[in-house]
Amino acid sequence: MIGAVGGALGMAIAYFTFNGWQASTLNFTSFSQITFAFTVTPQLAVQGFIYALALGLIGGLLPSLRAARLPIITGLREL
């Protein structure tokens, strides 16, 4: 649940921060310039959301398995 909220929050921040943002680089030696613009599409936002959910699941799986195997008293002593 918290991973979904974090993923949705990150998706919203990325959309409002990077959508339509333009940048450019300039090479003073050859006087060439490269310009580019970021566009956050709905498909890209959904892919990022799924990636955030997967990272949250993988990152929380091993600690939760370890905690499930510990006796309660041992787990509380480690705090």
Side-chain angles (χ1 to χ4, degrees):
M1 175 68 179
I2 293 177
V5 173
L9 183 63
M11 186 174 59
I13 290 172
Y15 178 79
F16 290 116
T17 302
F18 294 115
N19 193 31
W21 188 57
Q22 297 179 354
S24 64
T25 61
L26 180 63
N27 184 348
F28 290 107
T29 304
S30 63
F31 297 107
S32 61
Q33 183 177 12
I34 297 174
T35 61
F36 52 93
F38 292 106
T39 303
V40 181
T41 62
Q43 180 184 6
L44 185 62
V46 169
Q47 286 178 352
F49 182 72
I50 292 170
Y51 185 66
L53 287 178
L55 278 177
L57 178 68
I58 293 168
L61 185 64
L62 293 177
S64 66
L65 290 175
R66 181 180 179 272
R69 290 189 176 127
L70 281 178
I72 294 172
I73 300 299
T74 307
L76 290 174
R77 280 192 193 138
E78 291 183 6
L79 289 176

